[in-house]
Amino acid sequence: LDEFAGLICAETGKPLDDAKLELVLVVDHLHWAADKAEKVLRRRKVPAGLLMANQAATVEYLPYGVIGVIGPWNSPASPPMGSIAYALAGGNAVVFKPSELTPGVGEWLARTFAEVVPEMPVLTTVTGFGDTGAALCESGVDKVAFTGSTETGKRVMGACARTLTPVLVECGGKDALIVDADADLRAAAEAAIWGAMSNAGQTCIGVERVFVVDAVADRFLDVIEERARKLRPGGEPSASFGPITMPGQVDIIREHIEDALAKGARAVVGGRDSVRPPFVEPVVLTDVPADAAALREETFGPTIVVERVRSADEGITRANDTRYGLGGTVYSRARGVELARKMRTGMVSVNSVIAFAGVPALPFGGVGDSK
């Protein structure tokens, strides 16, 4: 674990604690897949129904064959392991194509797997840029699992469609957090900051928007400001969070901040000068116009937009006003589950943040441009 965490830190720049958290998820996926595969996949009897009452009916799951897995750069180990572990547990071979920014992670996974089961060379890694991923999609694999941006996900789906290769994609997000009037404000604010700033905001299920009921908005913002001002990015393992891993992402973060401020938004913490490549200091924006990119498009940086709403229901309406729909969060003592069910997302945590990502038994995916 120390060796793997060190490699992740070296390739992404993220602090050691962020890398270790990712590896906890990796181990949990591996354990769950190994423990549950036989029970989930074994042949089982099912009712034959009235018409076929004289028949015996069974269901079983056979391996696809070879699964192609294309991984992201922001969390190079845990999302692809969500596909690799289950594909292997189902009896498939896997060809893993890691991000061109984190090729060492892919090589390490294949090498260490081979050390454990040298007689079963069923996990291999291919490295390269986008053309390598395209070649994998068109190589004749039996299924493809992809984690990455929405635009690249569309290209993967298009390439796989030409051969009717089944594809599973998990793309970008613009996740929202709803804070009701009866919420535990300090817990909600700390969840918002951690959800927005951990891994330098480079998390597809990170919190990018907060809609807080006006009656408690001032107190909520006070805690957000207090917590955000204590965070410092850096390249050392003990930093609050690390650099922006992909250089081009810095420009997108800067554009979103400048666009919001030019349209009348107010910076509670940070601002234009917070962007100091390859680092971005914490930025908290409020009073952001509805058409600003910071509210509409995935920023993927240590920024957060906090907006006032008259009620939690209005917050849900505004949260759902997006082409994305990956994850979400609700903080409410009385209406948590009720409000969560109204969010147009694949996953929602109630009085916690990103908790669903740590439960291997739960499916992981979204709707809209996040699926």
Side-chain angles (χ1 to χ4, degrees), residues 29 65 159 291:
H29 277 303
D291 64 340

Side-chain angles (χ1 to χ4, degrees), residues 30-70:
L30 284 168
H31 173 73
W32 200 92
D35 185 54
K36 305 296 183 184
E38 184 177 1
K39 178 181 178 181
V40 172
L41 300 175
R42 69 186 176 192
R43 184 181 178 188
R44 69 180 190 275
K45 292 182 178 181
V46 295
L50 290 176
L51 182 62
M52 296 295 173
N54 64 326
Q55 301 292 315
T58 61
V59 173
E60 64 179 312
Y61 299 92
L62 301 179
Y64 276 90
V66 180
I67 308 296
V69 176
I70 302 175

Side-chain angles (χ1 to χ4, degrees), residues 295-360:
L295 269 177
R296 309 298 304 176
E297 302 298 329
E298 187 175 39
T299 305
F300 225 59
T303 69
I304 188 170
V305 173
V306 180
E307 293 297 297
R308 299 167 183 265
V309 290
R310 289 167 294 183
S311 66
D313 293 288
E314 181 187 341
I316 294 291
T317 299
R318 293 194 61 185
N320 290 342
D321 183 22
T322 175
R323 63 190 178 99
Y324 297 103
L326 191 53
T329 305
V330 173
Y331 268 80
S332 174
R333 286 190 170 95
R335 301 180 62 203
V337 174
E338 174 198 344
L339 293 168
R341 285 177 172 153
K342 295 179 179 180
M343 295 192 84
R344 192 185 68 89
T345 62
M347 310 163 288
V348 185
S349 289
V350 178
N351 295 328
S352 182
V353 66
I354 314 181
F356 44 75
V359 183

Side-chain angles (χ1 to χ4, degrees), residues 146-148 150 157 167-175 204-205 320 322-328 343-348 356-357 362-371:
F146 166 83
T147 304
T150 298
M157 292 181 73
V167 61
L168 176 69
V169 299
E170 188 266 290
C171 301
K174 192 69 180 176
D175 290 9
C204 57
I205 49 174
N320 290 342
T322 175
R323 63 190 178 99
Y324 297 103
L326 191 53
M343 295 192 84
R344 192 185 68 89
T345 62
M347 310 163 288
V348 185
F356 44 75
L362 292 175
F364 191 97
V367 299
D369 276 10
S370 297
K371 61 167 142 340

Side-chain angles (χ1 to χ4, degrees), residues 7-29:
L7 174 60
I8 292 173
C9 291
E11 289 202 304
T12 65
K14 66 173 63 178
L16 190 59
D17 284 348
D18 280 357
K20 287 182 175 179
L21 174 60
E22 187 174 347
L23 294 187
V24 171
L25 298 176
V26 166
V27 172
D28 218 9
H29 277 303

